[in-house]
Amino acid sequence: MSGHDASGHLHVSPESKAPYAADVLEKLHVDAAAVIARYPQKRSALLPLLHLVQSVDGYVTGRGVSFCAEVLDLTEAEVSGVATFYTQYKRHPNGDYTVGVCTNTLCAIMGGDLIFERVSEHLGIGHDETTEDGRITLERVECNAACDYAPVVMANWEFFDNQTPESTIGLVEDLRAGKDVAPTRGAGKVCTFKEVSRVLAGFEDGRADEGVGAGPASLLGLTIANERGWVAPGSNGSSTSHADRKDGSK
């Protein structure tokens, strides 16, 4: 599905601007009020409110832009300027699962480019395009700060480490089939784009303490330091170590 116009509020489809149902709008106002109450200036709530809109519509709709502008006393142009700047805000219908393949330098040379090419061919879509069933949106993404597990793939921002073309094709097919899929690290399963968007809006889903936060490769340096008794400058015991080094005793 290509050819989407990701520009501002003036160019979105008429369907995107259709009014919210009364019950949906009422719930949006309740949730928006809870978000706005966290900030001394309500315009600071724009980023989480855009995620809130995505949790309802699946992307930042024209009506979502109008809603944010209304409750934050902003213009639609101001809201659109933010929504079109950050890549986590989608300006056209997004899949239930955004599968992002890291193609930054290290992941690319470790196989990220090949993964993207193979998955793109398998699904019949390119960057920022969505499968006809609406299940998968495929993206090339920049560094996810997980280079020790390259090549890395993310599904709705959950980590899948040390991937291959075959494992990633298996991942997208499991997601399309509606199976519960567990990431390498993080929550117990990958949630939908709408569910994750609500969490990003600031509403907890009870999964914060699930799964493994950091794997062995990320903790290797800390493990070695603990085994050898190394401490950072300025931490407990460092002054003695510094004096020892000055007189050459250690």
Side-chain angles (χ1 to χ4, degrees):
M1 297 173 65
S2 58
H4 296 296
D5 190 334
S7 58
H9 184 266
L10 294 176
H11 297 95
V12 296
S13 68
E15 295 81 5
S16 176
K17 295 182 180 181
Y20 286 110
D23 59 331
V24 174
L25 185 60
E26 181 181 2
K27 182 66 163 58
L28 266 175
H29 274 292
V30 171
D31 287 342
V35 173
I36 292 169
R38 303 173 190 152
Y39 299 92
Q41 297 185 39
K42 63 181 181 179
R43 67 178 296 145
S44 300
L46 177 55
L47 296 181
L49 284 191
L50 287 170
H51 286 299
L52 181 64
V53 166
Q54 291 195 139
S55 76
V56 174
D57 290 328
Y59 69 108
V60 179
T61 52
R63 62 188 180 182
V65 169
S66 298
F67 173 79
C68 290
E70 176 188 346
V71 299
L72 297 177
D73 294 331
L74 298 172
T75 66
E76 291 172 343
E78 288 174 313
V79 175
S80 292
V82 174
T84 55
F85 183 83
Y86 297 103
T87 58
Q88 280 189 318
Y89 300 127
K90 310 301 181 182
R91 295 312 313 273
H92 52 77
N94 197 74
D96 295 324
Y97 299 96
T98 299
V99 174
V101 182
C102 182
T103 54
N104 213 329
T105 307
L106 183 57
C107 278
I109 63 175
M110 293 293 287
D113 281 340
L114 179 59
I115 290 174
F116 183 89
E117 291 169 8
R118 290 276 301 278
V119 175
S120 175
E121 180 181 7
H122 175 78
L123 295 175
I125 56 175
H127 169 71
D128 197 28
E129 294 180 354
T130 302
T131 54
E132 289 293 336
D133 60 8
R135 297 292 280 170
I136 305 293
T137 295
L138 182 64
E139 291 184 338
R140 291 181 179 270
V141 295
E142 291 299 312
C143 183
N144 290 308
C147 304
D148 39 355
Y149 293 104
V152 173
V153 172
M154 301 197 86
N156 288 346
W157 303 292
E158 297 288 0
F159 286 103
F160 289 82
D161 303 326
N162 303 124
Q163 291 296 288
T164 65
E166 292 73 23
S167 66
T168 308
I169 289 173
L171 165 64
V172 298
E173 286 305 310
D174 284 346
L175 291 172
R176 294 179 83 181
K179 296 180 180 179
D180 284 346
V181 177
T184 308
R185 293 171 284 129
K189 73 170 186 175
V190 178
C191 296
T192 66
F193 183 78
K194 288 184 178 181
E195 290 170 333
V196 171
S197 294
R198 184 167 177 81
V199 173
L200 291 173
F203 297 93
E204 295 184 8
D205 65 355
R207 297 180 176 275
D209 297 321
E210 287 184 358
V212 177
S218 300
L219 299 174
L220 182 58
L222 178 62
T223 300
I224 294 173
N226 288 337
E227 289 174 349
R228 302 185 181 183
W230 294 344
V231 293
S235 60
N236 187 32
S238 62
S239 59
T240 301
S241 299
H242 178 67
D244 289 341
R245 286 195 298 272
K246 284 183 67 176
D247 64 16
S249 59
K250 291 187 179 179

